Amino acid sequence: MDRVQSQEKLSSTPLPCEYFDMIGGTSTGGIIALMLGRLRMSINDAIDCYDRITKTVFKATQVGRDGKFKHKVLENVIKDVVKNQVGTDEERMLDTRDNACKIFVCSRAAQDLSAGIPRLFRTYQSPEAKTYNCMIWEAARATSAAPTFFERISIAGPGHPIQSYIDGGLGRNNPTKQILEEARLIYPDRHVACVISIGTGTPSTIFIPKPSFFQRILPSELIRATIAIATDCEAIEQEVAQRFRSVPDFYYRFNVEQGMQSIGLAEFDKMENVVAHTDQYIRREEVRQRFANAVSTLCRRRALIPTPQMSTSILV
């Protein structure tokens, strides 16, 4: 956004929701998508809020409950963010403003994980299924209810029976294909100008270790490896990159390649490490050039790929 401001000669740094037509995310990315899109926050404000969320939530541990961390603390801090932005913590997802950036977050129905189909909480109506207009904090809780970390959330509404949700990381940790499908549904007569995908760091190599005696009885390492495979973002990234390899200046993936492997989801105390590794990554010459190309593409908004067909920009 700083580079967009410079290139467009703007008096202030623009908001992401002013330059992207659609933003989607899962879990951590889902909360960020809601902040940047539905709550129309600046990058700096979103970073400050996210830092506050992590420091508050991941200190609130518990024992003997469904989830290592207290889900009520997560709910309350998200409600505070929503209230500070729009004046009430009961603001709902659907956004009826003209030309509003369209946002969705991915979740999964806790009772039906085998289907492989994500449940989307949207800020817009889909032509394929009526969108339940839940509250913003409920959507944030649903997309971030990572098993073993936070208790699942039950949501119900008019015409929608109560249902429990967990985060969409099992199968949609990288929702790039989902956002392309949403763009096709919502913008059937437009073209996509660019897709920008932001990762949370390249993962360690996934492998299944040789089991010890105790692992044969309780195969927790196998379980962890299976979860890692299910949540791995790089397979989707490779598939999307292959799909659009013949279209220059269309698909951009930014993902710190070294240093993030050992930083866990709840390790808020390692934020300085995250900042340092990210700063080092974006200073690399090839990454700087990709940034410059992405900014030019975003500002130019030249129609490239029919959805099928006008120019749309997507952030995931």
Side-chain angles (χ1 to χ4, degrees):
M1 291 296 101
D2 288 337
R3 289 171 182 242
V4 169
Q5 178 187 356
S6 176
Q7 183 157 319
E8 300 272 69
K9 296 179 171 56
L10 303 175
S11 59
S12 60
T13 307
L15 302 176
C17 64
E18 296 170 336
Y19 271 77
F20 290 94
D21 298 275
M22 181 174 284
I23 302 176
T26 299
S27 197
T28 286
I31 293 176
I32 294 170
L34 291 170
M35 290 195 292
L36 297 180
R38 181 60 180 86
L39 298 179
R40 300 176 62 85
M41 295 172 68
S42 69
I43 294 291
N44 287 338
D45 286 346
I47 289 173
D48 289 343
C49 280
Y50 189 81
D51 190 49
R52 187 168 71 251
I53 288 172
T54 57
K55 288 177 179 176
T56 303
V57 169
F58 293 125
K59 286 181 180 178
T61 58
Q62 61 184 4
V63 178
R65 298 289 301 277
D66 183 9
K68 181 179 179 180
F69 303 98
K70 297 177 181 178
H71 69 277
K72 281 294 182 183
V73 174
L74 177 59
E75 285 180 13
N76 290 334
V77 72
I78 291 174
K79 286 179 180 179
D80 286 343
V81 171
V82 175
K83 186 174 182 178
N84 288 338
Q85 285 300 118
V86 299
T88 173
D89 60 18
E90 296 185 350
E91 183 79 359
R92 294 189 175 269
M93 281 288 285
L94 287 182
D95 192 344
T96 58
R97 290 171 292 194
D98 292 339
N99 300 318
C101 178
K102 291 176 170 54
I103 313 300
F104 73 80
V105 298
C106 295
S107 184
R108 297 291 293 272
Q111 291 84 2
D112 190 12
L113 295 179
S114 61
I117 302 172
R119 302 297 178 90
L120 304 188
F121 291 88
R122 303 176 174 93
T123 63
Y124 53 91
Q125 290 292 358
S126 167
E128 288 198 340
K130 184 173 177 61
T131 298
Y132 168 51
N133 191 19
C134 69
M135 286 181 277
I136 295 174
W137 72 262
E138 289 179 310
R141 265 281 286 123
T143 194
S144 60
T148 74
F149 280 85
F150 297 105
E151 184 176 317
R152 64 186 64 179
I153 181 174
S154 296
I155 300 175
H160 292 261
I162 190 167
Q163 191 160 17
S164 297
Y165 296 94
I166 61 172
D167 91 330
L170 293 174
R172 285 298 186 277
N173 225 20
N174 181 342
T176 305
K177 292 201 298 184
Q178 195 67 48
I179 208 168
L180 291 170
E181 176 62 17
E182 288 294 294
R184 184 188 67 81
L185 288 173
I186 304 306
Y187 302 110
D189 301 319
R190 295 176 65 170
H191 284 68
V192 177
C194 69
V195 175
I196 296 180
S197 174
I198 301 176
T200 57
T202 302
S204 303
T205 302
I206 297 172
F207 70 100
I208 297 177
K210 183 177 180 180
S212 65
F213 172 77
F214 292 105
Q215 292 292 332
R216 296 188 189 101
I217 300 172
L218 182 63
S220 59
E221 291 295 338
L222 178 60
I223 293 169
R224 278 194 285 270
T226 303
I227 291 174
I229 291 169
T231 58
D232 181 31
C233 299
E234 298 309 300
I236 298 296
E237 195 282 323
Q238 289 297 309
E239 183 179 339
V240 175
Q242 175 75 11
R243 177 178 172 183
F244 297 118
R245 65 177 180 174
S246 62
V247 186
D249 300 326
F250 175 74
Y251 171 67
Y252 298 92
R253 170 75 168 174
F254 297 105
N255 197 26
V256 178
E257 295 171 1
Q258 293 295 331
M260 301 291 210
Q261 292 90 337
S262 62
I263 301 176
L265 175 65
E267 294 180 304
F268 66 89
D269 55 330
K270 294 184 178 180
M271 190 64 75
E272 286 188 12
N273 301 52
V274 173
V275 172
H277 294 309
T278 303
D279 187 60
Q280 181 66 26
Y281 169 76
I282 65 177
R283 290 174 183 272
R284 291 169 48 186
E285 182 55 36
E286 66 271 25
V287 177
R288 288 164 58 90
Q289 187 57 55
R290 288 212 312 276
F291 266 118
N293 294 344
V295 169
S296 295
T297 302
L298 187 60
C299 294
R300 187 170 65 244
R301 298 174 67 83
R302 179 168 59 89
L304 288 178
I305 302 290
T307 54
Q309 271 118 16
M310 234 166 142
S311 67
T312 299
S313 299
I314 292 171
L315 176 63
V316 60

